[in-house]
Amino acid sequence: ACQRIASDLVSGYPLHKAAYSEPVLFSDMAVKLVEVGMRTGKLVAVLQRLAADEEDRWRLRQTLQSHLFYPLCIA
């Protein structure tokens, strides 16, 4: 995926269009936020926020899985 995105960027596609071609990695909302970040000059802030949100989602998913796994083992 990184190589495909890099190839798109080298070919002249903007970051949001390169990210759009990888829907497994980037949601529609993330792509739109990247586009807005590029247009407003706030791309770094947008990318930092997207990364923080993804980390929070990952932590929540891990917590839920661990809390659900223990009762299944006991059962």
Side-chain angles (χ1 to χ4, degrees):
C2 291
Q3 288 177 340
R4 288 189 299 268
I5 291 172
S7 176
D8 286 347
L9 293 173
V10 168
S11 297
Y13 287 97
L15 180 58
H16 69 278
K17 288 189 179 183
Y20 183 76
S21 66
E22 298 294 335
V24 172
L25 299 176
F26 299 96
S27 67
D28 287 340
M29 174 158 322
V31 171
K32 289 175 185 173
L33 286 171
V34 168
E35 182 179 8
V36 169
M38 290 177 65
R39 289 184 183 188
T40 61
K42 303 287 185 182
L43 182 59
V44 172
V46 167
L47 291 175
Q48 288 173 336
R49 181 59 191 221
L50 286 171
D53 288 348
E54 186 61 32
E55 287 176 358
D56 290 344
R57 273 193 291 279
W58 183 83
R59 280 191 204 98
L60 177 61
R61 190 177 312 123
Q62 292 299 109
T63 301
L64 287 173
Q65 285 178 351
S66 68
H67 282 76
L68 294 173
F69 181 73
Y70 181 73
L72 287 174
C73 289
I74 299 298

